[in-house]
Amino acid sequence: MTATSFQSAEATADKDGLIHGVSAQELQILGEQCIEAKGKAYCPYSLFRVGASLLLNSTITPAPNHWSDTYPLSHVLTGANIENAAYPVGTCAERVAMGTAVHLGHRIGSFKAVGVSTDIEEFCSPCGMCRQYLREFLSLETPIFMFNREGKFIVRTMGELLPLSFGPDVLPPREQLRKAQEEDKAKTA
Ligand code: THU
């Protein structure tokens, strides 16, 4: 396979050459891995292949579990879309990748960047369901790199893709909600 040189379609690198904290070398790995993952898509219905890659913060080691023995820990985890004859049952690449990572023990704080790759000219961004799924485990500052078929990319943060989002940090402690509901009930009794 000839190496793709990934080019930003927009000016985004800072004076140190980083894009949202991601180095050129990390970007190369992120891009290559989501393209490779795309090759493993199961999409006989749409023929629309999507690959996703998750760059892990090297300082984070997931909690060991039964998968750790089977799959060596690496700095990038991947996924591809997996369709189903019952169409709505199909799963997007981003959720396959993130589900794998979470099952391996990763949580919020584990992820440095996300890559998404397709076969089209346009920059394909994660669907609404995937944005919410990713939001559970990414910080709002995490960059999501969207690669087109030529290796050009645009990048947006999680917060930009899902503004005013609902996440685990928004949920108050259950006890607080229980108390508020009991107070409401007492008022109407
Ligand atoms: N798909 C993804 O995997 N990720 C996205 O963000 C958009 C859509 C998949 C779902 C389906 O298998 C195919 O692309 C066509 O919608």
Side-chain angles (χ1 to χ4, degrees), residues 106-124:
H106 288 288
R107 295 290 184 271
I108 191 144
S110 278
F111 307 100
K112 191 166 182 183
V114 177
V116 180
S117 149
T118 66
D119 293 321
I120 60 173
E121 297 284 321
E122 289 78 26
F123 300 101
C124 177

Side-chain angles (χ1 to χ4, degrees), residues 62-76:
N65 60 25
H66 66 285
W67 283 112
S68 322
D69 298 335
T70 318
Y71 297 105
L73 300 176
S74 78
H75 288 310
V76 179

Side-chain angles (χ1 to χ4, degrees), residues 42-43 46-51 80-83 90-95 116 118 124-128 130:
Y42 174 76
C43 53
S46 72
L47 296 184
F48 189 80
R49 301 187 305 169
V50 186
N81 52 331
I82 302 175
E83 298 186 344
T91 312
C92 293
E94 296 90 328
R95 275 176 289 139
V116 180
T118 66
C124 177
S125 66
C127 77
C130 286

Side-chain angles (χ1 to χ4, degrees), residues 8-23:
S8 175
E10 300 167 328
T12 40
D14 65 17
K15 60 175 174 34
D16 301 317
L18 301 177
I19 302 175
H20 294 283
V22 175
S23 69

